[in-house]
Amino acid sequence: MPHAKIYLDYAATTSVDRKVLRAMQPYFGAKFGNAGSLHSFGQETIAALDASRETIAKAINADFREIIFTGSATEANNLALRGALSGIMNNELRMAGRGNGGVGNSFIHHSPFIIPKIIVSAIEHESVLETARDMEKEGAEVVVISVDKRGLIDMKKLRAAIDERTVLVSVMYANNEIGTVEPISEISKYLRDFRSTKSEARNTKQIQNPNFKDSRRFNPDIVSDFGFRYSDFGTAYPLFHVDAVQAFQFLDCNADALGVDLMTLSAHKIYGPKGVGALYVRGARKNHESRIMNNGQSDSSIIHHSPFILPIITGGGQEFGLRSGTENIPSIVGFARAVELVSARRKRENERIWALGRYYIDE
């Protein structure tokens, strides 16, 4: 009689927990409405969407508006890197009075301020490394920091690489192949100290791009479309992104305690469904703005956003404007249920895994 197969690749993916599947099932059938619809079917699903967002936010000590649902962790990582680069370049052009922009060769090369720098560790997931390489082709500078034989990032090299041009630092929390846990709190503390001591020179002079001759000074007291003064803009960077996909099941992912600005999560690594991820975005919030329309009339609207990243998928403005597309309600509900279950059994599961590890080593 053949032996039953034993699955040992839970770092790659997990099966869907039966409790998760039960939570999802109604949203494949009777509760099928579009969360963007105003009728009762839509209101039923948007209530589920809001509850799921709140569940995940609570699990990482965040505000529910700081949780942005995506189609995968790969997409969330792309939103973190590309969105941060697009955000800073767009704001740099606004400072120069040149309106909106987007990420691309001509856009970066014609910025009057900076050639932006992205820093990543050498053992990031491909969705970070390949995205960074692609951004390098578009004109950004990418610095890859080496790790030691245990997989720990070289902090000395990381500190040396961070400078005034650094837009974002991306370091995963726990490695998906060798399990190394990176010193996230130590990195975030260094970045906080760096930001707090950054020169106020950005308020009085520009960091010039030699490829751009027609530059101008900006007024640091102008309030941007995002509700912050440009004098505060320079001290917001570098942003710190952490890929916590492999970490969430076993480690505390309290966003405030870790000191991260952006954090990626995934459902299918924690007994949830495939096809849904999330990006925590610090400071994404609800603002009430009064905008003067072309006809001279004022239009009051509620806008949700982060001031420092821009969307990479545009359209209907879902996910507070940071990720357009009809929400995948069954998977989002399953994601939230998986988060509840994993959070409740994290300590017990850690003890079980350590016991298994000791057994295999001893035997």
Side-chain angles (χ1 to χ4, degrees):
M1 182 176 180
H3 294 290
K5 290 183 178 180
I6 298 176
Y7 182 77
L8 296 174
D9 197 15
Y10 280 84
T13 194
T14 61
S15 59
V16 177
D17 189 289
R18 291 180 182 179
K19 293 179 181 178
V20 170
L21 188 58
R22 280 200 296 271
M24 295 171 64
Q25 282 174 337
Y27 299 93
F28 288 114
K31 300 180 180 182
F32 64 88
N34 186 324
S37 299
L38 297 177
H39 49 64
S40 61
F41 289 91
Q43 295 306 299
E44 186 175 43
T45 52
I46 199 169
L49 175 64
D50 286 346
S52 299
R53 198 186 309 277
E54 186 67 49
T55 294
I56 296 173
K58 184 178 179 181
I60 63 170
N61 191 29
D63 184 88
F64 88 103
R65 299 178 188 91
E66 295 177 316
I67 304 299
I68 307 301
F69 289 115
T70 62
S72 64
T74 289
E75 184 191 331
N77 283 341
N78 269 262
L79 176 57
L81 271 67
R82 297 182 189 277
L85 181 60
S86 187
I88 193 171
M89 300 308 293
N90 184 69
N91 282 311
E92 293 281 16
L93 288 188
R94 285 177 181 272
M95 289 181 193
R98 295 182 175 275
N100 295 321
V103 177
N105 275 318
S106 60
F107 180 63
I108 292 178
H109 291 158
H110 289 82
S111 166
F113 292 98
I114 63 171
I115 296 296
K117 179 190 287 187
I118 304 290
I119 300 175
V120 300
S121 86
I123 58 170
E124 295 302 299
H125 188 268
E126 289 88 344
S127 58
V128 169
L129 291 174
E130 290 302 319
T131 300
R133 292 186 185 108
D134 196 45
M135 292 163 67
E136 190 171 34
K137 295 175 185 176
E138 295 170 349
E141 179 185 355
V142 174
V143 177
V144 180
I145 305 297
S146 60
V147 298
D148 65 18
K149 63 182 180 181
R150 296 174 297 168
L152 287 169
I153 192 168
D154 188 322
M155 286 298 298
K156 184 177 180 180
K157 290 182 179 178
L158 176 62
R159 287 190 289 266
I162 295 168
D163 61 20
E164 184 83 10
R165 294 187 297 109
T166 307
V167 174
L168 180 131
V169 175
S170 183
V171 179
M172 64 167 44
Y173 197 170
N175 185 264
N176 55 306
E177 294 186 10
I178 59 176
T180 301
V181 177
E182 300 293 346
I184 299 302
S185 295
E186 182 182 352
I187 296 170
S188 67
K189 182 181 184 305
Y190 179 79
L191 289 172
R192 283 197 305 273
D193 292 344
F194 178 83
R195 287 190 291 247
S196 68
T197 57
K198 279 178 73 171
S199 170
E200 294 298 322
R202 290 183 69 95
N203 295 340
T204 58
K205 68 179 182 179
Q206 297 173 345
I207 303 171
Q208 295 287 347
N209 180 343
N211 295 326
F212 195 92
K213 297 179 180 179
D214 180 24
S215 58
R216 65 185 75 175
R217 294 184 182 277
F218 65 90
N219 182 351
D221 293 322
I222 293 175
V223 177
S224 78
D225 288 350
F226 297 109
F228 66 97
R229 292 186 182 277
Y230 284 133
S231 56
D232 299 326
F233 171 69
T235 58
Y237 293 92
L239 299 178
F240 186 26
H241 168 246
V242 169
D243 181 341
V245 166
Q246 296 292 154
F248 186 82
Q249 184 173 183
F250 302 105
L251 301 173
D252 183 10
C253 289
N254 184 315
D256 269 344
L258 291 173
V260 301
D261 301 298
L262 303 158
M263 183 163 64
T264 297
L265 303 172
S266 178
H268 80 97
K269 304 286 188 173
I270 58 170
Y271 302 92
K274 297 175 179 64
V276 62
L279 182 67
Y280 160 77
V281 182
R282 180 183 297 280
R285 62 191 186 277
K286 181 167 72 174
N287 287 334
H288 295 266
E289 291 187 344
S290 179
R291 292 189 169 184
I292 304 300
M293 308 303 288
N294 292 332
N295 60 9
Q297 295 181 348
S298 177
D299 173 52
S300 294
S301 58
I302 298 176
I303 300 173
H304 304 254
H305 50 61
S306 164
F308 302 117
I309 73 167
L310 291 181
I312 60 173
I313 297 176
T314 54
Q318 290 88 347
E319 294 305 297
F320 312 133
L322 284 178
R323 200 279 185 179
S324 292
T326 300
E327 299 91 345
N328 182 353
I329 301 300
S331 292
I332 289 171
V333 168
F335 192 177
R337 185 64 177 128
V339 164
E340 285 182 323
L341 294 171
V342 165
S343 298
R345 63 193 181 205
R346 183 178 286 133
K347 181 179 178 181
R348 184 173 68 252
E349 186 68 1
N350 268 327
E351 292 171 350
R352 185 181 74 86
I353 295 299
W354 277 111
L356 279 173
R358 287 194 299 270
Y359 172 80
Y360 281 113
I361 292 171
D362 294 342
E363 295 298 319

